[in-house]
Amino acid sequence: MEPKIEHYDRDPVIRSEEGAGSLFGDVVENRLSRRDVMKAGLGVLAFSTIRCAKPESTAEPVKTVLSFEPIKGQTGNEVIVPEGFQHDVLLKWGDPTLPGAPEFDATATTGASQATQFGYNCDFVGFLPLPVGSDSSNHGLLGVNHEYINPELMFSNWSRKTVTQNQVDVMIAAVGFSVTEIERKGGTWTYARDGAFNQRVTGSSEFEITGPAKGHPLMDAKNSEGGTKAYGTFANCSAGKTPWGTVLSGEENFQSMFGNGMAVQDEERRANYSRYGVMDNASYYGWEDYEDRFDCGKDPNQPFHFGWVIEVDPYDPGYTPRKRTALGRIRHEAATTFVSKGDRVVMYSGDDALFEYIYKFVAAKPFNHNDRKANRDILDEGVLYAAKFNADGTGTWLRLVHGEGPLTAENGFNNQGDVVINARTAGDLLGATKMDRPEDIEVNPVNKKVYVACTNNSARGLEGNPGADDANPREENRHGHIVEMTETDDDHAAETFDWELFLVCGEPEDESTHFAGYPKDEVTAISCPDNLAFDHHGNLWIATDGQDKSIGINDGMFAVPVAGKERGKVRQFMSTVTGSEVAGPEFTPDNTTLFLAIQHPGEKSTYDEPSTSWPGESGPPRPSVIAITAKDGSAISD
Ligand code: FEO
Ligand code: CA
Ligand code: CA
């Protein structure tokens, strides 16, 4: 989800699908049928026969049938789960989590109190077992991103014109990241109010800058000790757990927190501000009214401290979090790591904006299984790539390496710091494929394939914009799609890959949809895929963001097998509260609990007239993490 001010970026034009279907059909059918013809030696195939012609996965066996009874799409104010399941609200905005924290009181929150409480707009959720290194499913730490704030739902009579110092303090303390100890007793999850590991990382926390942009002249913002220190993280959307037990969190729509960008006119900064969308005039939130660092005219290098992947150690509250600049500066949705062949550490990340790129990073040093600390700085050295999708179902990872190809001084790239700070521009020069808002990217631990959620792009094909292509097959793509990538030889450090369209989302009766060839009269409508997860059988679980606008039902949680006879059979598992999106899908290691983040409930209404008070009975709605379990305690996906 992106902030209110970003609605242009989210969904700039909502138009009917009329006229889009036939073009889409041509593109997808060409794309799929060519490959299936090659594989099957048959003539042109319709979608329904493509599935039959497709070889099933040759990797480990995948459980192919989900047994829950799908629910129907909803529009109300409740969380709905299938028969036999239940949900509990585990952590709500404002819940006290650090020592000395006061009880939540929306009318009396200060920056100091909010910094000791659970933050706003939870997105990523990661369960980290306790003790560290165990596979406990009853005790652990919940690492949660707090992406942004909805001041109109946090404060009575909110107005940008009258924003106060206290409101700004609260907002800055409400974003970032949190770690909270949780435990399951008697089947119910509760959090530890003063857990020893509990921490909050906010919009003012101290960071160390590492990697090739450390000390770069553009990173030399005020109080940064020559571009080596930074303060704050925000716009933390999705994230990922590393194999060494830290969390990598993506700074996504950081640009919305800055104001007065037009005060900066020198060529180098202006070009970057424009490419990254730093606000020309006033921000929606008004932080720049009270803190100079958010006023570009007063601290023009401050925006270069954001758009990075940060690394936080949930098991060590004393660890100063890092901004890992080798991973590139984009609007990071997620940061998924995977240990591939030869113990190579690979990170995938999408740049969630219209026509932006998919990236990956391959670390130079191998993963050390025996020494957690030896992996500490592994993400500071390696190769950054952007993806290019070819029409024949192959793809190339393009190297974002200074001195190679066009990334030379002639084009303004004097060192690797320039490349990572301007990663989008480097991707432009290399000819990466412009995607339909790539959001979460996850590796299926069972079949090792990589799944990319492209949430939507209603601007594709409109005048002046790129038209449909093979990996983004629909003009005015309101519903999004999911791409399935197979790295060459299942080596995630490879520089080539193959790919398929797995889902092209929407209502099944819409001819432009595609459910991996599964019969469409047996699937559930799904639109705007955002966050992805896998259960222990390798089934894909999909959280959505935007269904209320595209197909008129609340967002939800869906599950779909990726192999076997039910490959492509999408079923709805959960429906969320009005105005909210679903994020952070995370299973416990034993798959008996599914944690979900319910972000921005009541969006588009106000504190004084909320469309819902969920999860309470009155007052403003509170973004919360819920825990879904089966009533009989069995695994969710069995
Ligand atoms: Fe923050 Fe891309 O959703
Ligand atoms: Ca989202
Ligand atoms: Ca997202």
Side-chain angles (χ1 to χ4, degrees), residues 1-2 123 147 237 333 352 437 439 530-531 545 581:
M1 167 63 198
E2 306 192 5
D123 197 295
E147 185 179 2
C237 194
E333 168 74 21
D352 179 13
R437 292 188 52 198
E439 296 228 48
D530 186 339
N531 297 106
D545 174 16
E581 68 172 277

Side-chain angles (χ1 to χ4, degrees), residues 144-181:
V144 176
N145 273 350
H146 300 287
E147 185 179 2
Y148 69 103
I149 54 279
N150 288 89
E152 68 282 358
L153 282 165
M154 298 169 77
F155 309 116
S156 181
N157 286 315
W158 156 262
S159 160
R160 171 65 180 86
K161 288 188 183 139
T162 58
V163 62
T164 67
Q165 172 86 59
N166 188 60
Q167 288 172 338
V168 169
D169 293 346
V170 170
M171 287 188 273
I172 291 174
V175 296
F177 188 74
S178 64
V179 178
T180 313
E181 185 179 340

